[in-house]
Amino acid sequence: LKTLTKERNMERSESIKNLAIAQMKMQKELRNLELNAQGFNYKYASLDHLLNYARQMCSKYGLSFVQNPIGTETTIGIETIYMHESGEFLVGNLESPIGGMKGMNVYQSSGSAITYLRRYALMSFLGVFGEEDIDAKGFDVYEKKSKPKTAKPKTIESDELPF
């Protein structure tokens, strides 16, 4: 099959008719994921939970996927190849700046980013949701965590004054 040029970080086979039909059939059965993990004050579906669900559902409809790490000197990312048994495919890339996380070296941070990006990329291809929508709660969720606690000023009685 011929490959079209990349548009908006997406590459695809010349036709995606069979892939689209299989996706439509699968999406009638897909459900959002159980939120089985917790971190950073919100619940989400872990990568292993997502992968088990995705493999089961995709194979039922002749679909499969491969995810490979990609990156540059300053970014880390994931390339997801979403395929149909007919040979049709979609390829999407998702990248993020390389950054350190508290208590982790650059390799641990990159591994964490890859796991995170794999979850988001695959959930996007499937059309499922697997985490709490903390954005809907507003930024006050973050502000409550990040505001330093201020000590109450101590009340001094007049007989305690040094003058």
Side-chain angles (χ1 to χ4, degrees):
L1 294 173
K2 292 182 182 176
T3 301
L4 295 181
T5 57
K6 285 188 177 186
E7 289 182 30
R8 289 181 267 153
N9 253 4
M10 181 67 73
E11 185 180 348
R12 67 181 185 97
S13 55
E14 188 173 72
S15 170
I16 59 167
K17 179 183 175 185
N18 295 307
L19 189 152
I21 291 168
Q23 182 78 6
M24 179 199 60
K25 289 177 181 177
M26 183 176 68
Q27 283 186 341
K28 288 180 181 178
E29 191 176 336
L30 285 174
R31 299 291 175 257
N32 288 330
L33 298 164
E34 172 193 352
L35 308 181
N36 68 330
Q38 185 164 347
F40 299 106
N41 206 27
Y42 72 100
K43 293 179 181 177
Y44 63 95
S46 63
L47 179 60
D48 63 326
H49 185 63
L50 169 62
L51 290 173
N52 288 333
Y53 183 67
R55 287 180 190 127
Q56 175 189 359
M57 294 303 293
C58 286
S59 65
K60 187 174 178 179
Y61 293 95
L63 298 165
S64 62
F65 56 91
V66 176
Q67 293 184 298
N68 299 306
I70 59 171
T72 65
E73 290 180 17
T74 59
T75 65
I76 190 75
I78 282 295
E79 175 182 73
T80 301
I81 306 168
Y82 195 63
M83 302 165 281
H84 184 260
E85 62 191 1
S86 66
E88 296 173 350
F89 64 91
L90 296 169
V91 180
N93 295 331
L94 184 59
E95 292 184 61
S96 175
I98 294 174
M101 291 176 65
K102 188 176 180 178
M104 293 184 180
N105 64 40
V106 69
Y107 303 108
Q108 292 167 320
S109 293
S110 295
S112 181
I114 288 169
T115 298
Y116 188 85
L117 294 171
R118 285 183 70 190
R119 284 180 48 248
Y120 275 91
L122 188 54
M123 284 190 299
S124 294
F125 272 103
L126 295 175
V128 297
F129 195 69
E131 63 185 36
E132 287 181 323
D133 188 2
I134 58 173
D135 294 335
K137 295 178 184 177
F139 289 104
D140 60 327
V141 172
Y142 297 107
E143 289 174 4
K144 286 177 186 173
K145 281 189 82 175
S146 62
K147 283 185 182 177
K149 292 183 180 179
T150 53
K152 283 186 175 180
K154 183 180 176 186
T155 306
I156 299 174
E157 301 297 324
S158 59
D159 60 340
E160 295 178 312
L161 293 173
F163 50 89

